[in-house]
Amino acid sequence: MSIEHVEQTVPASAPDAARRAALLAALDVVQGGPEERFERITRIAREAFGVAGSFLNLAGDDQLFHKSQQSDAVFPGTTPLKDTFCGRTLDQDGPVVVPDARDDRRFSDLPMVNQDPNVRFYAGVPLRVGADATKVGTLCLIDPSPRALDAEDVALLQELGVWAERELATGLDDDRLRVVLSGLQPRTVDLPGWTIGGTSIPHGIVSGDFHDWRVADGTVDLTVADVMGKGMAAGLLAAGMRGALLARCHQDPSTAIAALEEQVAPDLSAAEAFATLFHGRLDTTTGRLSFVDAGHGLVLHLHADGTESVLRSVDLPIGLHPVGMERASGELVIEPGDSLVLVSDGALELWDSTLASLSRLGALYRKATDLPSFLAGVRGRAIEHDPGDDLTVVVVSRDA
């Protein structure tokens, strides 16, 4: 059974073209060379149908980008949209099958029909992405010989198109994750006499680190945590911990961590994971910081007189601490001119993987003219010396 080709096409509207362009920018797949995740789809399509060429094309405002092509006749990276089968059928809802382009008035004038590679047969399915299912391109087949497709053939081509859509959506999901993660990072706080700020750099798209601070009535609740591992699993567990702490905002640290542990320890155990965490409450009037350190032990206290000390943890991480055993609590005073530098273990990888790296980070901070220049220096160091892990650095500084 052959599939009837569509008799009429509708030119793409300007709003449609704008939506396509915005989505392509978010997908971030147009630039760069071939990607195996798309190449395997077009390879399978060409072999399954025995055609001369198969393509995954993305449509911009007025150009068609050939993201992946399997063809003896290699097309340039882009082709004017109006001069392509895909460009002229982009607004069709379903598959488009053209048995012989010479007999189809919509395509008989195309350069690729009347010149090399002398295309006769074309079949394509639209590729949709985003919440409004915007068509951003096509997965298509071409051949110099006329031919037809039966219903099973078209169904197979549509299934390959769904695969391509999911691969494209992966890029969009990554982009959304970046936006979400950027939004979750707290902004630098300028309180009278205090500066609090930091940065978190994921090793991949999603970080198992998180840092946060909440300001109210002269107090600051401050948290730095590191979930074991990297990637999506660590990121999901970190997000759950962050939400659980947010629900206990401004509680005494010992009370908040006990409740947090009761809530998230089962999830961490089920995932065979754990998390180190430093959580404290700062009184900005006195500089007194009460805290719980759950196996973190990565806090550098830079004193105004030029000396430094490291806060060491005596407790096990969240998810490993014995159930029912009370955690140790600590307290220190941040004097005028003092600073705390709190990090995840990715910061140690910026140098030699030992606690000596904390001192080198402290030296970098003391040399910096201000907090933004210090954080820029940390990011620069991470570019020069990839830590291979999620990296978080937070500073709490009291004016002299």
Side-chain angles (χ1 to χ4, degrees):
M1 183 176 80
S2 63
I3 304 297
E4 294 294 332
H5 65 261
V6 181
E7 291 296 337
Q8 190 172 5
T9 61
V10 181
S13 66
D16 288 340
R19 281 196 296 270
R20 285 202 312 269
L23 276 170
L24 289 181
L27 290 168
D28 194 25
V29 294
V30 171
Q31 302 300 324
E35 297 182 49
E36 177 58 26
R37 61 190 178 123
F38 300 125
E39 295 285 286
R40 67 169 63 98
I41 297 173
T42 51
R43 275 200 306 268
I44 291 172
R46 186 182 186 189
E47 293 172 5
F49 290 96
V51 292
S54 60
F55 300 80
L56 193 157
N57 296 321
L58 301 172
D61 288 336
D62 57 4
Q63 294 287 314
L64 192 72
F65 303 90
H66 308 298
K67 181 59 183 176
S68 177
Q69 54 179 306
Q70 308 292 328
S71 174
D72 292 335
V74 178
F75 287 79
T78 62
T79 304
L81 199 59
K82 63 182 179 60
D83 291 338
T84 65
F85 286 91
C86 295
R88 294 186 180 186
T89 62
L90 195 61
D91 281 344
Q92 300 304 312
D93 288 332
V96 174
V97 178
V98 181
D100 191 338
R102 292 172 302 181
D103 299 333
D104 193 315
R105 57 186 173 81
R106 298 170 300 167
F107 311 111
S108 58
D109 65 324
L110 286 176
M112 65 183 65
V113 173
N114 295 290
Q115 304 167 22
D116 286 339
N118 297 304
V119 174
R120 298 293 176 261
F121 165 76
Y122 168 87
V125 291
L127 302 178
R128 298 175 174 85
V129 175
D132 58 354
T134 299
K135 290 186 279 293
V136 296
T138 60
L139 179 68
C140 68
L141 314 169
I142 62 171
D143 199 83
S145 299
R147 60 183 295 177
L149 296 184
D150 62 24
E152 291 184 357
D153 291 333
V154 173
L156 174 58
L157 185 59
Q158 288 177 303
E159 289 172 358
L160 289 168
V162 170
W163 183 4
E165 288 174 341
R166 289 175 179 170
E167 292 292 351
L168 286 168
T170 299
L172 188 59
D173 289 342
D174 289 353
D175 184 75
R176 286 174 174 169
L177 281 171
R178 290 186 183 98
V179 172
V180 170
L181 288 170
S182 176
L184 290 179
Q185 292 202 28
R187 296 181 179 179
T188 297
V189 175
D190 283 311
L191 295 169
W194 295 86
T195 300
I196 301 173
T199 188
S200 187
I201 306 171
H203 180 61
I205 298 299
V206 181
S207 176
D209 291 358
F210 75 89
H211 64 287
D212 201 8
W213 45 78
R214 302 282 163 170
V215 182
D217 300 327
T219 64
V220 180
D221 286 348
L222 176 74
T223 308
V224 175
D226 183 358
V227 177
M228 181 192 73
K230 300 180 284 292
M232 183 65 73
L236 289 172
L237 291 169
M241 289 183 62
R242 182 180 181 276
L245 269 180
L246 181 60
R248 295 162 177 84
C249 191
H250 307 309
Q251 290 182 354
D252 172 80
S254 296
T255 302
I257 296 307
L260 166 74
E261 193 150 31
E262 183 177 358
Q263 178 176 336
V264 305
D267 292 337
L268 290 167
S269 178
E272 299 183 342
F274 61 85
T276 65
L277 176 146
F278 180 94
H279 179 70
R281 168 174 271 194
L282 172 67
D283 183 330
T284 59
T285 302
T286 64
R288 190 170 301 278
L289 176 71
S290 56
F291 62 88
V292 171
D293 190 319
H296 199 71
L298 295 175
V299 180
L300 178 67
H301 190 169
L302 299 174
H303 302 278
D305 62 5
T307 61
E308 63 184 45
S309 55
V310 177
L311 276 66
R312 305 306 301 272
S313 176
V314 297
D315 283 348
L316 292 174
I318 305 289
L320 296 180
H321 197 74
V323 176
M325 181 179 289
E326 188 174 347
R327 286 191 175 276
S329 59
E331 193 172 87
L332 62 84
V333 175
I334 305 175
E335 301 286 356
D338 286 3
S339 297
L340 291 186
V341 181
L342 307 92
V343 305
S344 65
D345 57 9
L348 305 184
E349 305 301 328
L350 293 176
W351 284 281
D352 62 3
S353 305
T354 72
L355 280 178
S357 297
L358 278 180
S359 290
R360 301 188 72 169
L361 192 64
L364 186 66
Y365 175 75
R366 289 188 188 276
K367 291 178 183 177
T369 55
D370 54 21
L371 180 58
S373 64
F374 167 64
L375 296 178
V378 171
R379 289 188 286 268
R381 176 68 185 176
I383 292 172
E384 296 172 359
H385 192 90
D386 182 5
D389 197 358
D390 301 327
L391 167 65
T392 296
V393 177
V394 172
V395 173
V396 180
S397 180
R398 187 176 186 182
D399 293 350

